[in-house]
Amino acid sequence: MITRHVKKLRKPLEGKPDILIRNGEIDTALLSRSGLDFDKLRAMLRAQDIFSISGVAYTIYETNGTLSVLRKSRYDGVTRQDLNLPDRELRLPCSLVENGVICRENLQEIGRDEDWLRRRLQDMGYLDIQSVTCAETTETGELAVIARAYMTSAAAKSTTPVP
C-alpha cells in the first residue's frame, strides 16, 4: 500500500483515529461524524465485554472501523499477577465431537483415542455419541459437553476435568 511508504498521504487517504470517549465523556458530534450512534457504540463495546459505557475512560474509533477501549481503573479486572498467583498452563480448545460425529484427527492430536472419549462421555451420562451436539477440551483441560436439544437429563450441559 502506498501509505505505508509515503507518510504524508497516510492521513488524507486512511483518515485518523477519533477519540469518541475522552475522560468518560462522549463526543456526540464526533460519534455522529463517524457514522455511529449509541446503539452501534454499545454493540461494539459489548463485543469487547464492556456492557456499560460508564465504565469507559477512553474509546478510540480506529481507521479500520474497530474500537480501542481503555476502561476506567475501578473497572479493571483483577489478574493472576495482581494476586501473586502462578501462571497456569493453558491449552487451545479442541473439538472432539460435532453434531454427534467424533473428530478422530483432533482426538489423535491430543493423544487420545475413541475408546477414551466414549468412556469419558459415558462417565458423564452420555451413553450414545448421537446425544452429543458438541464436546471439546477447554483451555484448562476439561471436557465440556453440550447435549442435543432433545436431551432433558442433568447431563444436558456439563464439564469434567480430563485426566
Side-chain angles (χ1 to χ4, degrees), residues 10-11 14-22 30 33-34 59-68:
R10 194 168 293 158
K11 280 186 185 178
E14 293 181 1
K16 67 179 187 65
D18 292 321
I19 300 176
L20 302 177
I21 300 176
R22 183 186 306 265
L30 197 53
R33 262 198 320 268
S34 298
T59 298
I60 301 170
Y61 187 55
E62 304 290 355
T63 58
N64 65 359
T66 62
L67 285 183
S68 295

Side-chain angles (χ1 to χ4, degrees), residues 29-43:
L30 197 53
L31 185 69
S32 179
R33 262 198 320 268
S34 298
L36 299 175
D37 58 22
F38 278 99
D39 289 335
K40 179 68 174 170
L41 176 63
R42 276 194 219 87

Side-chain angles (χ1 to χ4, degrees), residues 8 19 24 80 90-91 108 127 130 153 163:
K8 287 182 181 182
I19 300 176
R80 296 182 70 78
L90 294 178
R91 303 175 191 137
Q108 195 173 20
L127 303 179
Q130 293 299 315
S153 70

Side-chain angles (χ1 to χ4, degrees), residues 70-113:
L70 179 62
R71 296 174 194 253
K72 290 179 180 175
S73 61
R74 70 175 170 248
Y75 295 101
D76 282 343
V78 177
T79 65
R80 296 182 70 78
Q81 184 178 10
D82 293 337
L83 300 175
N84 293 320
L85 295 173
D87 288 340
R88 62 181 179 174
E89 181 183 344
L90 294 178
R91 303 175 191 137
L92 201 55
C94 185
S95 181
L96 303 179
V97 178
E98 294 175 354
N99 288 322
V101 178
I102 295 175
C103 304
R104 288 177 181 81
E105 286 181 26
N106 292 350
L107 270 172
Q108 195 173 20
E109 188 175 307
I110 65 166
R112 301 292 183 173
D113 62 18

Side-chain angles (χ1 to χ4, degrees), residues 88-163:
R88 62 181 179 174
E89 181 183 344
L90 294 178
R91 303 175 191 137
L92 201 55
C94 185
S95 181
L96 303 179
V97 178
E98 294 175 354
N99 288 322
V101 178
I102 295 175
C103 304
R104 288 177 181 81
E105 286 181 26
N106 292 350
L107 270 172
Q108 195 173 20
E109 188 175 307
I110 65 166
R112 301 292 183 173
D113 62 18
E114 195 172 318
D115 290 334
W116 171 86
L117 177 62
R118 288 184 188 278
R119 279 193 311 274
R120 293 305 312 264
L121 291 172
Q122 287 175 357
D123 291 346
M124 295 171 72
Y126 300 97
L127 303 179
D128 179 15
I129 200 75
Q130 293 299 315
S131 66
V132 177
T133 296
C134 176
E136 65 181 7
T137 59
T138 66
E139 59 274 351
T140 58
E142 294 181 325
L143 181 63
V145 180
I146 299 173
R148 290 211 183 268
Y150 63 79
M151 292 287 293
T152 57
S153 70
K157 183 177 181 186
S158 55
T159 61
T160 185
V162 174

